[in-house]
Structures are given as structure tokens and as C-alpha cells.
Amino acid sequence: MPVRTRTAERYARALAAAVAAVACLLLAGNAGPTDAADSPVPAPAGESASDQGEPAAVTLRGA
């Protein structure tokens, strides 16, 4: 039969697991390209090279 652990041990293990999970999430969130200054900027959706000089059409619904 397994030996029952003390409540303090269970809380300590849970706290250690929570700290490890937060550390992993922070590291994963900060992982990415190191030099974003040279990356190209994507064109906004709905714009193409052919209509660069024309203003975008705006449709208002419910007006």
C-alpha cells in the first residue's frame, strides 16, 4: 500500500510544477526570430499591386 504524503509535500510539488509550467510558457512565448527589423512587412488584406493608387471602397451596412 502506498504511503500517504503530507499535505505540505503535495503543495510544494504543485507549486514547483506551476513554476516550471510558467517558465516553459514564458520561454515559448519569447521564442521567435531574433532580428525582426529586416523582415518584410506584409501588405494589408484586400490591397493588391494593381489598386495601389485607388482608395479602398467602404460599405456601411445598416445605415
Side-chain angles (χ1 to χ4, degrees):
M1 188 164 159
V3 178
R4 186 175 170 130
T5 58
R6 294 187 326 192
T7 304
E9 284 183 57
R10 286 184 287 178
Y11 280 115
R13 287 181 187 171
L15 180 63
V19 169
V22 168
C24 288
L25 287 172
L26 286 174
L27 288 173
N30 289 329
T34 56
D35 189 19
D38 293 333
S39 63
V41 177
E47 253 187 54
S48 64
S50 63
D51 58 14
Q52 290 276 332
E54 300 175 12
V58 176
T59 305
L60 299 176
R61 293 185 184 202

